[in-house]
Amino acid sequence: MSEVGRTRDGRGGLNYAIYHDRYQRTGDGWKFAERVYEVRYEDTSPLAGSPPRAAEGS
């Protein structure tokens, strides 16, 4: 998966990651037993552009 984000103070970043999921069979069917999020690439250089403006009345 990929994520792009910007914090309220303007810092931003991009990362690419993989979920490693483990499932367990229960009486109700298959359920998540564990999820590990492994970041494979991270870029903290400044993002281009600017965040959207808040809608009027917000």
Side-chain angles (χ1 to χ4, degrees), residues 4-58:
V4 176
R6 186 186 309 265
T7 61
R8 291 186 187 268
D9 66 3
R11 291 179 295 135
L14 161 74
N15 73 47
Y16 293 95
I18 298 171
Y19 285 121
H20 299 280
D21 295 336
R22 190 170 58 83
Y23 306 95
Q24 183 171 354
R25 188 176 195 108
T26 71
D28 294 325
W30 290 96
K31 304 288 183 180
F32 279 104
E34 179 180 41
R35 171 168 273 184
V36 176
Y37 183 72
E38 178 189 358
V39 176
R40 301 295 298 263
Y41 173 84
E42 182 176 17
D43 184 350
T44 58
S45 57
L47 296 171
S50 60
R53 293 186 306 206
E56 289 186 32
S58 294

